[in-house]
């Protein structure tokens, strides 16, 4: 009997503490909204920052190098079969570099580790 009375008292105290009657005044509410809008306006005026992950730089350099080597093989080697074979190997190495980079970035989840932050300041006159 005593435990039920204590439980009821405890429950009454919990319900009373959950009810809050603290409501800000309309003036304070308007002032807080004005300050919030002012901070949002300042944040909108700040330049946008773009992130560029550097993990794709070796992939791009690899692709450019092997593409140029494929073009060089097609123009320099006179035997057509040998030139196509060399160009095919070069293009295969370029595509393999792309696939390995994408698989490595997704598997290791390292997109955000090495990045360059680019801040757009404005238009040059």
């Amino acid at each position: 009997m005593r435990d039920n009375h204590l439980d009821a008292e405890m429950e009454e105290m919990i319900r009373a503490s959950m009810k809050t009657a603290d409501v800000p005044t309309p003036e304070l509410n308007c002032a807080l909204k004005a300050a919030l809008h002012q901070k949002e306006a300042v944040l909108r005026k700040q330049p946008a920052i773009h992130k560029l992950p550097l993990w794709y730089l070796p992939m791009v350099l690899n692709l450019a190098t092997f593409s140029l080597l494929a073009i060089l093989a097609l123009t320099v080697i006179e035997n057509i079969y040998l030139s196509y074979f060399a160009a095919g190997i070069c293009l295969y190495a370029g595509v393999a570099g792309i696939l390995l980079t994408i698989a490595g970035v997704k598997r290791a989840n390292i997109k955000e580790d090495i990045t360059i932050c680019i801040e757009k300041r404005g238009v040059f006159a």
Side-chain angles (χ1 to χ4, degrees), residues 26-76:
E27 294 83 19
L28 178 62
N29 199 14
C30 289
L32 289 174
K33 283 182 182 179
L36 181 63
H37 288 301
Q38 187 179 18
K39 285 183 181 181
E40 285 178 353
V42 168
L43 286 176
R44 273 191 230 117
K45 289 181 182 179
Q46 288 181 347
I49 295 176
H50 301 283
K51 291 184 179 181
L52 179 68
L54 285 181
W55 289 111
Y56 298 107
L57 183 63
M59 176 191 72
V60 170
L61 293 175
N62 179 47
L63 183 64
T65 301
F66 280 109
S67 297
L68 290 174
L69 285 175
I71 292 171
L72 183 71
L74 289 173
T75 56
V76 172

Side-chain angles (χ1 to χ4, degrees), residues 69-85:
L69 285 175
I71 292 171
L72 183 71
L74 289 173
T75 56
V76 172
I77 300 175
E78 292 181 14
N79 186 350
I80 193 153
Y81 297 116
L82 189 58
S83 67
Y84 282 155
F85 181 70

Side-chain angles (χ1 to χ4, degrees), residues 12-30:
E12 183 69 31
M13 288 172 53
I14 291 172
R15 289 186 190 271
S17 67
M18 289 175 52
K19 294 178 183 176
T20 58
D22 295 339
V23 177
T25 62
E27 294 83 19
L28 178 62
N29 199 14
C30 289

Side-chain angles (χ1 to χ4, degrees), residues 99-119:
L99 294 176
L100 283 173
T101 302
I102 291 172
V105 168
K106 287 191 185 241
R107 175 90 170 128
N109 197 12
I110 51 177
K111 273 188 178 177
E112 299 295 324
D113 285 349
I114 298 178
T115 57
I116 295 177
C117 294
I118 302 170
E119 186 175 327

